């Protein structure tokens, strides 16, 4: 009887992503979402920037994650400018949605 168990080989995150087309696609979407946010950062008032995070991309729809209702109201006014800027920069974004992230108490 063999008492030595073989430990499973460890896989780095990079290897796992490379081996999984769906994980690789997800990683690409996260990267693109962050690039989009970077591309429109200048349109967001400096004091509001910490309240806005890059969210999921679903086809031509993009979601921004916003920390509060007040921040969302301000960001909502900027959506047409953001969309026009992204289109000029080559991103096909037909809709920008806002999702409010409520802080846990």
């Amino acid at each position: 009887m063999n008492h030595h168990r073989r430990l499973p080989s460890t896989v780095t995150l990079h290897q796992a992503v490379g081996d999984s087309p769906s994980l690789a696609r997800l990683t690409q979407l996260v990267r693109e979402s962050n690039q989009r946010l970077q591309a429109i950062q200048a349109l967001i008032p400096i004091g509001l920037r910490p309240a806005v995070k890059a969210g999921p991309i679903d086809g031509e729809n993009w979601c921004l994650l916003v920390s509060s209702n007040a921040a969302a109201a301000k960001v909502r006014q900027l959506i047409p400018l953001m969309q026009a800027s992204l289109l000029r920069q080559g991103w096909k974004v037909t809709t920008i949605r806002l999702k409010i992230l409520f802080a846990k108490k």
Side-chain angles (χ1 to χ4, degrees):
M1 194 180 219
N2 188 351
H3 291 289
H4 297 286
R5 284 187 296 160
R6 191 163 177 260
L7 295 173
S9 62
T10 57
V11 177
T12 66
L13 179 60
H14 186 71
Q15 288 168 322
V17 167
D19 293 344
S20 168
S22 57
L23 270 179
R25 177 74 181 133
L26 183 61
T27 301
Q28 177 189 350
L29 287 172
V30 168
R31 189 177 309 117
E32 183 179 328
S33 186
N34 286 320
Q35 289 169 344
R36 288 179 182 190
L37 181 59
Q38 196 65 43
I40 60 164
Q41 198 80 32
L43 299 174
I44 304 170
I46 290 174
L48 200 54
R49 290 178 191 173
V52 182
K53 306 280 183 242
I57 297 173
D58 180 16
E60 295 179 6
N61 303 314
W62 183 39
C63 182
L64 287 173
L65 308 174
V66 188
S67 64
S68 70
N69 284 322
K74 292 175 185 167
V75 171
R76 193 169 282 114
Q77 296 171 0
L78 301 171
I79 287 177
L81 285 173
M82 292 173 172
Q83 196 171 345
S85 177
L86 289 168
L87 288 169
R88 275 195 309 277
Q89 294 178 62
W91 275 294
K92 189 160 187 186
V93 179
T94 56
T95 308
I96 298 176
R97 292 183 306 111
L98 301 180
K99 180 170 172 80
I100 298 162
L101 301 174
F102 291 101
K104 292 181 174 73
K105 293 181 180 177

